[in-house]
Amino acid sequence: MNQLKNGAKAEESTLSKETSSFRVPRSGWRLGRHLWSSRSSKFYYGCSNASESFENVAADRRKNSDRYLLIATSGGLNQQRTGITDGVVAAYILNATLVVPKLDQKSFWNDSSDFAQIFDVDWFISFLSKDVTIIKQLHGKGGKALNPYRMRVPRKCTPTCYLTKVLPVLNKKHGKTWDEEEKLWDDLTCLHPEVVAELNQEAVSEERAVVTATPEEMAVIEAEDLAEREQEFPEVAVQTEGEQGVASHIPNKQTPLFDVPDNDSPSSEDILEVTSLTLSSSNILDTPVSYHLPFRHNRGKPPARYSPDEEGKRAKYPISNHVTTQRLSDPLKAFAHRLSSYKAVQLGKFDYRLSNRLDPDLQKLRCRVNYHALKFTDSILEMGKKLVQRMRMKSEHFIALHLRFEPDMLAFSGCYFGGGEKERMELGKIRRRWKSLHTSNPDKERRQGRCPLTPEDVGLMLRALGFGSDVHLYVASGEVYGGEETLAPLKALFPNFHSKETLASMRELAPFSSFSSRMAALDFIVCDESDVFSTNNNGNMAKILAGRRRYFGHKPTIRPNAKKLYKLFMSRHNKTWEEFASRVRTHQIGFMGEPNEVKPGRGEFHENPSSCICEDSAAKARAGLTLTPQNLLDESHKNGKENFNKNETSDVTDEHSIEDDQDLTDMDYMDRETAIKGKGLPGEMLLEEFFSD
């Protein structure tokens, strides 16, 4: 052990034995009370109440909503949380009734839980009742299930995008008029020509039929039909010319069907004469045969419900009554059902499908959903609170670390973590599962800050920021690549190492352990309630918790400045601990969860909900403070606790925040279309998708 300049005792890092100058202290730096809280947090508070004008408009819109929006979320718990939040706003934009969102049960996370098993669904519906009408299930008339039209919207879709791409589909009615059904049928047969062939035997109706048969087959069909009509209507006089004849049951589309007299009594003018098709075949007589259809008082005369003035009424004869899909193949049957039920729309893979740039009222609606309406079920909340209480019993303060270091995630990132040829082979094999991924370039990914920190790197960062070995650490993680060997350096730095598995018994966790989303919810609660939250990645849970902790008091939230830190970690053995720690603190200014450290509009709104953060100007003025991240740095200079040189300080101005380097994924839909001219990544595969915790 060596004595450092600040009086802290030091020990040699298990992976830093190459140099005697780099010795990690056991104790943290004495930064005082600011270690566990933000000085300026008391001057800011979350504010998401709707304005009076927004409430009035919302009330009027709910009365007139006759459209239904369904949302199918994607990814893990927190990625789905963003989809649910944005889905409520999308329903408001479209003036649609929202059906309780459907959770992703088939992705990598393989969790069969539905919405009501994760969130309090009654609270969700009740809390948002003044903003959007929400129902639990969608049923048609008579309790029959409706088949919504399924579609996707682009990423970062703006309100205008929703109004132009989704609203026209929602405005189409379930019950079609005859003309609408005619066009709908034409669309179906044009888009899928094979439908016609499959419908030859099934699509026969009283009013119309779709037949594409050879002349010989047509003659047989018409002869059979004529025989049936003769048995049913013996009084009908059939006029024949020649030895045989066939009759068509297909109305002539050029005959005006609606030009009929108003009287209900039969007359000679009311009797329509139908002439058979002339078939050129040597085996069938060419002479046409005609017969009179029996009288029907409303033949060809539509009822009043078909009037344009009655468009709100349902048609008496929907297309499903005219065409049977009983013997269609499953894909074509699903397609036909979609075309006949457009009033309800389901938006699939709904994650990050709403723009960051919305007006303040819509942004506040986002906050009401995310921070108030989405409440976990009582069973999850109760278990989560038990875990927090048990951490508090061990220590007054604790850090929660969200550690993403699973093999799949590392392989997807394309980064290299120093494991030699074994690592390259193992992660390379996993990476080949995604055929659309580009060839990995570890150096480039690391330079761009896209590589997660290793467990040892996170431990060194926390120690450099002032947290000693006596600090209790709660770790929320999945399977760690390399297992205990990878975790050993972190546990050496922070021996008070805890997880939900160490804090609770197997019996207590049994109701949750088979469901990844429920286990993630427990971690979410502990991380949210921690005094300090840190992460080794910039995934969905990190973003959601960063925004939530800003909204509820700016509790310290440490996000690694990976672009800067990677160089420092690579060269740390050439520096003293004091120099290393000083640079870590410099690079982390603007990444500690302080107010105003991220410019409004930068990054994901879920990470930086600036429209929902209000400032208590009076309290701030009374305190005589104007605090910014740079002010905090200057204050540390005055106290003599840091020794930054001029060049190091300038780094803060040059690269204040990761969000300053806007990439393609930060752009809204309209901006991105201009940037890439309509060309997207294969399968919409973006890096943050795999960070879908």
Side-chain angles (χ1 to χ4, degrees):
M1 298 248 177
N2 292 343
Q3 196 76 11
L4 299 182
K5 294 180 180 178
N6 68 337
K9 294 182 179 180
E11 67 177 0
E12 200 169 334
S13 172
T14 56
L15 297 183
S16 303
K17 297 181 179 179
E18 297 91 341
T19 173
S20 59
S21 60
F22 190 83
R23 295 179 180 275
V24 183
R26 291 182 58 85
S27 302
W29 297 81
R30 302 301 181 184
L31 298 180
R33 60 187 177 88
H34 306 311
L35 188 66
W36 297 104
S37 63
S38 167
R39 284 192 61 193
S40 56
S41 62
K42 59 185 177 182
F43 304 120
Y44 297 88
Y45 58 95
C47 52
S48 60
N49 290 337
S51 64
E52 184 176 352
S53 59
F54 183 88
E55 288 181 341
N56 294 335
V57 172
D60 293 337
R61 290 163 65 92
R62 290 197 309 275
K63 295 177 183 178
N64 301 321
S65 176
D66 61 349
R67 299 181 285 264
Y68 297 92
L69 182 67
L70 294 86
I71 297 296
T73 59
S74 175
L77 174 65
N78 295 285
Q79 184 169 327
Q80 292 184 91
R81 192 184 187 104
T82 65
I84 296 168
T85 300
D86 291 347
V88 173
V89 181
Y92 178 87
I93 293 172
L94 296 167
N95 190 21
T97 296
L98 179 68
V99 181
V100 169
K102 179 181 179 182
L103 300 188
D104 186 354
Q105 298 176 338
K106 298 180 180 180
S107 68
F108 169 81
W109 303 99
N110 195 28
D111 190 325
S112 61
S113 301
D114 59 27
F115 188 97
Q117 292 172 315
I118 303 293
F119 301 105
D120 187 333
V121 64
D122 293 324
W123 171 263
F124 179 73
I125 294 173
S126 174
F127 189 89
L128 297 172
S129 60
K130 293 184 179 180
D131 300 307
V132 175
T133 301
I134 304 175
I135 60 176
K136 292 183 180 180
Q137 291 181 327
L138 178 62
H139 293 296
K141 292 184 178 179
K144 295 182 179 179
L146 294 178
N147 296 294
Y149 178 75
R150 290 171 173 81
M151 62 181 294
R152 286 190 193 177
V153 293
R155 283 178 173 270
K156 306 298 179 64
C157 195
T158 62
T160 301
C161 168
Y162 276 93
L163 295 176
T164 56
K165 292 183 176 294
V166 183
L167 187 59
V169 181
L170 272 173
N171 282 334
K172 295 184 179 180
K173 304 296 183 181
H174 281 300
K176 306 285 189 292
T177 64
W178 183 271
D179 290 338
E180 288 174 329
E181 290 177 351
E182 187 87 4
K183 182 178 184 303
L184 188 61
W185 183 258
D186 291 341
D187 289 343
L188 187 148
T189 55
C190 290
L191 289 173
H192 286 272
E194 63 267 35
V195 172
V196 180
E198 292 194 40
L199 288 176
N200 275 341
Q201 299 299 321
E202 292 295 323
V204 179
S205 69
E206 180 184 4
E207 299 289 343
R208 58 194 289 199
V210 176
V211 179
T212 58
T214 64
E216 293 80 0
E217 293 171 336
M218 182 69 75
V220 175
I221 293 173
E222 291 177 344
E224 293 175 351
D225 184 66
L226 180 59
E228 293 174 359
R229 287 181 179 275
E230 287 178 339
Q231 295 178 1
E232 185 176 357
F233 306 108
E235 72 280 4
V236 176
V238 178
Q239 302 175 357
T240 62
E241 297 184 12
E243 297 180 2
Q244 295 180 3
V246 292
S248 170
H249 62 278
I250 305 179
N252 186 346
K253 287 191 177 182
Q254 295 181 352
T255 302
L257 297 179
F258 303 112
D259 187 14
V260 297
D262 294 333
N263 62 305
D264 294 340
S265 59
S267 66
S268 59
E269 290 82 2
D270 294 336
I271 306 300
L272 298 180
E273 182 175 305
V274 180
T275 305
S276 68
L277 297 175
T278 301
L279 305 176
S280 58
S281 172
S282 59
N283 298 326
I284 302 176
L285 293 179
D286 294 337
T287 55
V289 177
S290 64
Y291 63 92
H292 291 286
L293 296 177
F295 167 75
R296 195 176 73 190
H297 74 279
N298 65 342
R299 182 180 301 285
K301 182 180 179 181
R305 69 168 64 233
Y306 286 100
S307 169
D309 298 331
E310 303 291 335
E311 63 180 38
K313 295 184 178 180
R314 183 183 178 94
K316 184 176 180 180
Y317 304 108
I319 193 172
S320 58
N321 291 345
H322 295 280
V323 179
T324 176
T325 60
Q326 183 177 358
R327 296 187 182 179
L328 282 178
S329 61
D330 289 341
L332 295 180
K333 185 183 296 185
F335 180 76
H337 286 171
R338 289 201 305 271
L339 288 179
S340 62
S341 56
Y342 271 25
K343 196 172 184 181
V345 170
Q346 177 172 306
L347 302 180
K349 198 171 174 55
F350 200 79
D351 57 334
Y352 296 101
R353 304 286 168 173
L354 184 62
S355 169
N356 278 331
R357 306 172 189 175
L358 302 177
D359 66 62
D361 277 325
L362 292 180
Q363 299 287 46
K364 288 180 182 294
L365 175 56
R366 263 178 164 165
C367 294
R368 289 197 294 279
V369 179
N370 196 2
Y371 305 135
H372 299 285
L374 283 176
K375 186 174 73 171
F376 291 122
T377 60
D378 290 342
S379 59
I380 292 176
L381 284 175
E382 182 181 353
M383 189 67 237
K385 290 179 180 178
K386 284 183 180 179
L387 296 176
V388 174
Q389 291 171 356
R390 291 170 188 178
M391 285 298 298
R392 295 290 182 203
M393 292 172 63
K394 296 179 180 297
S395 177
E396 181 182 0
H397 302 292
F398 71 93
I399 301 174
L401 169 63
H402 181 230
L403 185 65
R404 288 297 309 274
F405 214 70
E406 299 92 339
D408 298 79
M409 190 270 284
L410 300 184
F412 191 91
S413 71
C415 300
Y416 174 67
F417 300 93
E421 190 61 26
K422 179 184 177 184
E423 176 189 317
R424 292 189 179 93
M425 290 182 61
E426 291 176 346
L427 299 185
K429 181 179 179 181
I430 298 174
R431 185 175 176 82
R432 284 192 290 273
R433 298 175 187 171
W434 297 282
K435 297 180 180 179
S436 61
L437 286 182
H438 57 78
T439 303
S440 62
N441 187 338
D443 292 335
K444 180 180 178 182
E445 298 294 341
R446 196 168 293 278
R447 286 196 304 271
Q448 293 179 347
R450 293 183 176 272
C451 295
L453 271 60
T454 67
E456 182 189 19
D457 291 343
V458 175
L460 292 173
M461 177 187 71
L462 293 175
R463 183 60 50 83
L465 291 173
F467 300 98
S469 60
D470 59 334
V471 169
H472 285 255
L473 188 67
Y474 178 90
V475 178
S477 69
E479 175 192 0
V480 174
Y481 177 67
E484 286 299 317
E485 183 179 354
T486 302
L487 289 173
L490 177 60
K491 290 184 174 181
L493 290 165
F494 294 94
N496 298 310
F497 189 99
H498 309 282
S499 66
K500 55 184 174 294
E501 289 79 10
T502 63
L503 294 173
S505 66
M506 293 180 61
R507 182 177 181 180
E508 288 177 309
L509 294 178
F512 315 97
S513 57
S514 299
F515 306 93
S516 60
S517 291
R518 301 182 203 183
M519 293 289 275
L522 298 179
D523 282 334
F524 186 96
I525 294 172
V526 180
C527 290
D528 184 37
E529 293 292 329
S530 64
D531 299 281
V532 173
F533 172 67
S534 182
T535 179
N536 74 323
N537 64 88
N538 198 33
N540 290 294
M541 182 168 175
K543 291 178 180 179
I544 290 289
L545 277 170
R548 183 179 180 87
R549 291 170 69 88
R550 290 182 192 279
Y551 183 84
F552 288 109
H554 283 88
K555 294 185 288 185
T557 303
I558 303 171
R559 298 173 300 125
N561 183 354
K563 281 187 177 181
K564 285 289 189 176
L565 291 179
Y566 96 91
K567 296 179 181 178
L568 187 58
F569 288 127
M570 294 292 289
S571 61
R572 68 177 184 265
H573 301 307
N574 299 325
K575 296 178 174 61
T576 63
W577 170 257
E578 292 87 343
E579 184 182 3
F580 172 83
S582 176
R583 287 184 176 272
V584 168
R585 289 189 288 275
T586 301
H587 297 329
Q588 282 300 119
I589 294 175
F591 292 80
M592 301 294 290
E594 293 285 345
N596 297 328
E597 69 179 12
V598 181
K599 296 178 181 178
R602 290 293 192 181
E604 297 292 342
F605 180 79
H606 305 290
E607 180 181 11
N608 181 32
S610 54
S611 300
C612 304
I613 306 295
C614 293
E615 180 179 345
D616 188 345
S617 301
K620 200 171 182 179
R622 288 194 298 269
L625 296 175
T626 305
L627 294 177
T628 65
Q630 186 63 44
N631 293 146
L632 296 176
L633 174 63
D634 294 340
E635 184 177 348
S636 66
H637 273 293
K638 295 177 183 178
N639 293 336
K641 295 179 180 178
E642 301 289 354
N643 291 308
F644 299 117
N645 58 41
K646 184 177 181 180
N647 292 334
E648 289 173 328
T649 305
S650 66
D651 290 340
V652 180
T653 305
D654 294 338
E655 294 195 31
H656 170 68
S657 174
I658 285 178
E659 286 78 9
D660 288 340
D661 298 321
Q662 187 182 35
D663 63 14
L664 195 63
T665 63
D666 286 329
M667 297 182 182
D668 287 340
Y669 165 65
M670 299 300 182
D671 299 331
R672 192 168 68 256
E673 284 223 322
T674 303
I676 62 179
K677 298 181 180 179
K679 296 181 180 180
L681 295 175
E684 293 187 321
M685 183 75 75
L686 299 174
L687 181 61
E688 70 265 18
E689 281 195 41
F690 201 81
F691 289 86
S692 58
D693 42 11

